[in-house]
């Protein structure tokens, strides 16, 4: 099965930047979508952004649009989430996930089959 490992989290001040990475191993598919979710303490897991392996098409939640940017390195099976202009409300554990493309963007956790362990992002004010 597919294994996902996130990295790049840390502590930054408001307005700062971080770049998260998600490295995939095992059996991967070019038709898969790589999604990013986050879960703040005491809150439900929420969708952040997604990118297709094939074509690199992206979709962003309104809360991060214009601040976060997805990219990928298909040869290395790695997806990157560049986070700029970070706000305290961005503080959460960030997870990457993989799932099949079914013709529409899936913003629900149930739409993804494989998950990483998560990486903590903390933004101080």
């Amino acid at each position: 099965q597919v294994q996902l490992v996130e990295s790049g989290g840390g502590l930054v001040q408001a307005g700062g930047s971080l770049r998260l990475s998600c490295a995939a191993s095992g059996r991967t598919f070019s038709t898969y979508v790589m999604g990013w979710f986050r879960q703040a303490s005491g809150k439900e897991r929420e969708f952040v952004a997604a990118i297709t392996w094939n074509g690199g098409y992206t979709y962003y939640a309104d809360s991060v649009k214009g601040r976060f940017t997805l990219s990928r390195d298909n040869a290395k099976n790695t997806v990157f989430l560049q986070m700029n202009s970070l706000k305290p409300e961005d503080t959460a554990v960030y997870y990457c996930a993989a799932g099949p493309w079914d013709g529409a963007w899936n913003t629900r956790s149930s739409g993804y089959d494989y998950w990483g362990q998560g990486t903590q992002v903390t933004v101080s004010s």
Side-chain angles (χ1 to χ4, degrees), residues 37-86:
F37 290 77
R38 65 187 182 186
Q39 187 166 19
S41 179
K43 296 185 178 180
E44 298 292 324
R45 188 168 299 186
E46 66 175 356
F47 173 80
V48 175
I51 185 171
T52 63
W53 281 113
N54 190 355
Y57 302 105
T58 56
Y59 180 73
Y60 301 92
D62 289 342
S63 59
V64 305
K65 192 175 300 181
R67 299 188 297 121
F68 291 10
T69 303
L70 280 169
S71 61
R72 81 223 192 276
D73 185 338
N74 285 26
K76 296 184 177 181
N77 290 325
T78 301
V79 170
F80 305 97
L81 180 64
Q82 179 67 46
M83 306 185 296
N84 298 325
S85 301
L86 284 163

Side-chain angles (χ1 to χ4, degrees), residues 4-53:
L4 305 174
V5 179
E6 304 97 334
S7 62
L11 174 64
V12 298
Q13 293 185 340
S17 299
L18 283 173
R19 190 178 78 158
L20 306 184
S21 299
C22 177
S25 61
R27 185 171 178 82
T28 58
F29 302 91
S30 62
T31 55
Y32 266 46
V33 172
M34 298 295 295
W36 283 92
F37 290 77
R38 65 187 182 186
Q39 187 166 19
S41 179
K43 296 185 178 180
E44 298 292 324
R45 188 168 299 186
E46 66 175 356
F47 173 80
V48 175
I51 185 171
T52 63
W53 281 113

